[in-house]
């Protein structure tokens, strides 16, 4: 009998095969990241399609992504906002940003994507300080210890009606373990508490299982 995680991966593959149009450019983006030694932690195909649909349903035209990696999710988001849209994505590691630029250009969405290299706390603060046009959707997928700070910054660069999405908020259940004081787990707990207690936000979270194991997304709307 297959293990639970093996079953999750098989179902993920089945759902992707039935529902998700992962074309050669997306596959190449993921593969290129592997070839260049980037960690295999990008969203899955079904999760990428979910983010794209979320952007489309919310009518997003301006997207801010915190955590680029090889640009896999960036491609999904750029395609979702279309030719009239724009994605700003922030990556700490210049090597990762270089791979991402190659990938988004190869996917044909390069003109829609600006890659900012640097510490996300600094980059997004600069965007806020110079009064950047509000973003319609913010996807937070960087280091989890700083998620509460990313949320505060996201609120500075969004508007009522904007959507904020946080990835990896379940952490294989560690989020409910009071003995787990890992900084990433603590950061996620504080992020979730802020989502639920801030009167500027209406939020929920969904657990996910699949090729990346047991985790989840948090989704909030700025009110």
């Amino acid at each position: 009998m297959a293990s639970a995680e093996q079953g999750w991966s098989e179902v993920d593959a089945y759902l992707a095969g039935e529902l998700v149009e992962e074309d050669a450019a997306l596959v190449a983006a993921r593969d290129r990241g592997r070839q260049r030694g980037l960690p295999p932690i990008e969203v899955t195909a079904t999760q990428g399609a979910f983010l794209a649909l979320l952007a489309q349903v919310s009518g997003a035209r301006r997207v801010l992504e915190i955590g680029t990696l090889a640009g896999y999710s960036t491609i999904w988001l750029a395609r979702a906002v279309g030719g009239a849209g724009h994605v700003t994505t922030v990556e700490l590691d210049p090597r990762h940003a270089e791979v991402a630029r190659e990938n988004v250009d190869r996917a044909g969405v390069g003109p829609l994507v600006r890659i900012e290299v640097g510490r996300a706390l600094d980059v997004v603060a600069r965007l806020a300080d110079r009064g950047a046009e509000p973003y319609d959707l913010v996807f937070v997928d960087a280091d989890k210890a700083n998620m509460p700070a990313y949320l505060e910054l996201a609120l500075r660069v969004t508007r009522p009606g904007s959507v904020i999405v946080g990835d990896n908020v379940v952490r294989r259940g560690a989020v409910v373990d009071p003995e787990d004081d890992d900084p990433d787990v603590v950061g996620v707990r504080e992020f979730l508490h802020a989502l639920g207690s801030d009167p500027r936000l209406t939020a929920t979270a969904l657990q996910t299982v699949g090729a990346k194991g047991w985790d989840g997304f948090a989704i909030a709307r700025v009110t």
Side-chain angles (χ1 to χ4, degrees), residues 95-109:
R95 185 170 57 93
H96 295 184
E98 180 183 350
V99 176
R101 172 50 65 190
E102 294 170 1
N103 284 334
V104 298
D105 288 347
R106 186 182 298 109
V109 294

Side-chain angles (χ1 to χ4, degrees), residues 44-206:
T44 64
T46 52
Q47 291 169 345
F50 170 77
L51 291 170
L53 278 172
L54 191 60
Q56 291 171 331
V57 168
S58 65
R61 285 294 174 264
R62 286 177 52 80
V63 171
L64 173 63
E65 179 183 48
I66 300 176
T68 313
L69 198 62
Y72 181 82
S73 54
T74 315
I75 295 169
W76 279 107
L77 291 166
R79 289 176 170 176
V81 300
H86 180 80
V87 176
T88 298
T89 184
V90 186
E91 174 55 48
L92 176 63
D93 190 320
R95 185 170 57 93
H96 295 184
E98 180 183 350
V99 176
R101 172 50 65 190
E102 294 170 1
N103 284 334
V104 298
D105 288 347
R106 186 182 298 109
V109 294
L112 307 180
V113 177
R114 182 171 76 246
I115 301 176
E116 296 273 4
V117 180
R119 187 169 175 261
L121 293 174
D122 299 329
V123 172
V124 183
R126 284 199 300 272
L127 292 172
D129 289 344
R130 70 181 185 223
E133 183 181 345
Y135 291 95
D136 306 309
L137 186 147
V138 177
F139 178 42
V140 182
D141 193 19
D143 60 301
K144 310 310 168 189
N146 279 316
M147 285 187 80
Y150 294 144
L151 176 60
E152 281 302 318
L153 287 170
L155 286 166
R156 291 181 60 194
V157 296
T158 50
R159 56 167 178 75
S162 294
V163 176
I164 300 171
V165 183
D167 196 10
N168 308 126
V169 300
V170 173
R171 311 202 66 75
R172 295 183 177 270
V175 69
V176 299
D177 181 358
E179 302 299 317
D180 196 323
D181 59 358
D182 180 277
D184 287 339
V185 174
V186 173
V188 167
R189 285 198 200 105
E190 293 176 355
F191 173 78
L192 292 171
H193 178 74
L195 287 181
S197 59
D198 194 314
R200 296 170 291 180
L201 295 167
T202 301
T204 191
L206 298 172

Side-chain angles (χ1 to χ4, degrees), residues 35-51:
Q35 292 163 9
R36 298 283 290 273
L38 277 63
I41 55 174
E42 72 280 341
V43 299
T44 64
T46 52
Q47 291 169 345
F50 170 77
L51 291 170

